[in-house]
Amino acid sequence: MRGIKSLLFTLFLVSPNLYGQDKVTPAQEVLPQPRRIYLDEFRPTPVLKTPEHLLSQAKYPCVNVHTHPGTLTEVELDEMVAVMDEANIAVSVSLDGMAGAKFADHYHLLTQRHPHRF
């Protein structure tokens, strides 16, 4: 009889752990869904605070690999080369897509006043 009482007492102590699976654990909790944020509404606040270093020119001469100077006048082309000089851009690649006879005219326009810049 004493053995049966000990067994029942032990089962009584262990039973809440055996049958406690009906309880909702934190991992099973149903959390409210966050409001959907669209990209045009996304305004994150920066948390990294660093000193600002504004650069006015490249440290080393660089190449602008995508330009369309074909519609520029000679004056505008001179202004573009002046800006390239200020920014330390050595060469710009024209991607205007000129071919045939148009290419020769385009090439002449770019290189007659500014050789080795386009």
Side-chain angles (χ1 to χ4, degrees):
M1 185 78 168
R2 184 177 170 123
I4 293 175
K5 285 183 179 179
S6 296
L7 178 64
L8 289 174
F9 182 74
T10 305
L11 287 175
F12 176 76
L13 290 178
V14 176
S15 65
N17 293 332
L18 292 176
Y19 299 108
Q21 294 178 11
D22 293 342
K23 295 179 183 176
V24 176
T25 62
Q28 295 171 330
E29 286 182 17
V30 178
L31 299 175
Q33 293 295 319
R35 184 178 76 82
R36 184 178 191 138
I37 299 175
Y38 295 96
L39 188 58
D40 62 340
E41 298 172 345
F42 184 61
R43 301 284 184 267
T45 54
V47 292
L48 179 64
K49 306 293 183 198
T50 60
E52 186 176 35
H53 298 286
L54 298 177
L55 301 177
S56 59
Q57 69 174 357
K59 185 174 184 178
Y60 302 104
C62 64
V63 177
N64 180 357
V65 297
H66 192 129
T67 21
H68 294 280
T71 59
L72 301 179
T73 65
E74 288 185 1
V75 173
E76 291 170 331
L77 202 56
D78 293 341
E79 291 173 5
M80 180 179 173
V81 171
V83 170
M84 287 170 58
D85 291 338
E86 290 174 17
N88 202 12
I89 299 172
V91 179
S92 284
V93 178
S94 173
L95 296 176
D96 285 320
M98 304 290 180
K102 289 182 180 180
F103 176 77
D105 295 338
H106 182 65
Y107 181 77
H108 180 69
L109 172 71
L110 295 178
T111 59
Q112 79 182 31
R113 294 177 66 156
H114 305 287
H116 309 294
R117 298 305 299 268
F118 295 94

